[in-house]
Amino acid sequence: EELTYWDGVKFEGRNMGFADGGGTDNMAVFPPLRRGVQKLIICCAIGGEPGPTFAKDNYDISGYFGAVPADAEISVGSGVIAIDVWNQHLQVFPPECCDELVQKILDQHEAGQPLRVRLKMQVLENVAQGVKGGYEVDTLWLFNGGLRAWCESGVSDETKQLIEENIEGFPYLSVMKLDYTPAEVTFLNQLACWNAHQAHQDIKALLLRS
């Protein structure tokens, strides 16, 4: 996208090309790791139902572990990025922890339960991202899942029918849609609040740990 930019160094304005991070830090993990933060609650909105290709489909997540599979394709505004380059420039956690994260997500999804995973991991050095590493971080990952358990918790039949008939793929909606309907926003919000409430004991345990 072309934006009018005012250069505060050269004191001149011009049109420049801008884009977002292209998936390099969608969960805003790097800034706290640069500061040595030891407890993180990481909220993830995935755009597809969890499955065996989770690490491939969600390269913005698996990249943190340097675990994007070789058969994935990462395409951004500037072109296609090689998988080894992506993994090298994003990795801040051990790759084996990605396997643990994905397996727990798949097990919870299969059971229709909320998707949340607590992981204690070593932070690895990443010069490109300004992360020194060398310490342990305690993380709680929260995802937009748990639809079955949410519906069974007391959601009205009318609401269930409305979602089923009007929101295809709920709650795994593409983040590229950009024009969400009022119903989509409302029910995603309600599900997210319910998920956070279901995780309150995990959140409390994380925050109160010395």
Side-chain angles (χ1 to χ4, degrees), residues 140-157:
L140 178 62
W141 300 70
L142 303 178
F143 297 84
N144 52 319
L147 177 61
R148 188 196 313 170
W150 179 56
C151 287
E152 293 173 352
S153 70
V155 174
S156 69
D157 291 338

Side-chain angles (χ1 to χ4, degrees), residues 104 108 114-118 140-143 195 198-199 202:
K104 289 182 177 179
Q108 292 169 351
L115 308 182
R116 61 178 183 272
V117 179
R118 187 169 176 185
L140 178 62
W141 300 70
L142 303 178
F143 297 84
N195 271 315
Q198 295 301 303
D202 293 312

Side-chain angles (χ1 to χ4, degrees), residues 6-204:
W6 175 255
D7 190 330
V9 176
K10 296 183 179 180
F11 298 103
E12 61 183 24
R14 61 187 182 277
N15 288 337
M16 295 183 63
F18 280 81
D20 62 17
T24 54
D25 191 20
N26 284 344
M27 270 53 74
V29 168
F30 294 145
L33 294 185
R34 293 185 190 116
R35 301 194 303 271
V37 173
Q38 298 180 2
K39 301 177 183 180
L40 296 179
I41 297 176
I42 304 170
C43 300
C44 310
I46 53 178
E49 184 175 357
T53 59
F54 184 93
K56 175 182 177 180
D57 300 334
N58 299 279
Y59 55 79
D60 55 341
I61 296 174
S62 55
Y64 289 124
F65 303 84
V68 179
D71 62 340
E73 181 175 328
I74 301 174
S75 180
V76 297
S78 59
V80 176
I81 299 178
I83 301 302
D84 59 337
V85 172
W86 183 270
N87 282 329
Q88 177 184 348
H89 283 77
L90 268 67
Q91 184 179 12
V92 287
F93 301 132
E96 60 270 18
C97 293
C98 186
D99 295 333
E100 182 179 355
L101 175 71
V102 172
Q103 189 57 57
K104 289 182 177 179
I105 291 171
L106 295 182
D107 291 344
Q108 292 169 351
H109 177 67
E110 179 67 23
Q113 296 301 310
L115 308 182
R116 61 178 183 272
V117 179
R118 187 169 176 185
L119 290 176
K120 294 181 181 179
M121 303 175 286
Q122 284 296 311
V123 179
L124 308 179
E125 181 181 24
N126 187 316
V127 176
Q129 302 299 339
V131 176
K132 290 184 178 181
Y135 72 95
E136 184 180 71
V137 64
D138 196 350
T139 65
L140 178 62
W141 300 70
L142 303 178
F143 297 84
N144 52 319
L147 177 61
R148 188 196 313 170
W150 179 56
C151 287
E152 293 173 352
S153 70
V155 174
S156 69
D157 291 338
E158 181 182 6
T159 296
K160 296 175 189 176
Q161 182 179 358
L162 192 155
I163 292 174
E164 183 176 348
E165 294 179 354
N166 295 278
I167 310 178
E168 183 179 358
F170 184 86
Y172 306 112
L173 307 184
S174 172
V175 297
M176 301 300 293
K177 184 175 181 179
L178 303 181
D179 56 346
Y180 299 100
T181 66
E184 289 170 340
V185 173
T186 297
F187 293 128
L188 284 172
N189 171 65
Q190 294 299 314
L191 177 60
C193 291
W194 180 83
N195 271 315
H197 185 268
Q198 295 301 303
H200 76 281
Q201 290 293 348
D202 293 312
I203 295 172
K204 182 177 179 180

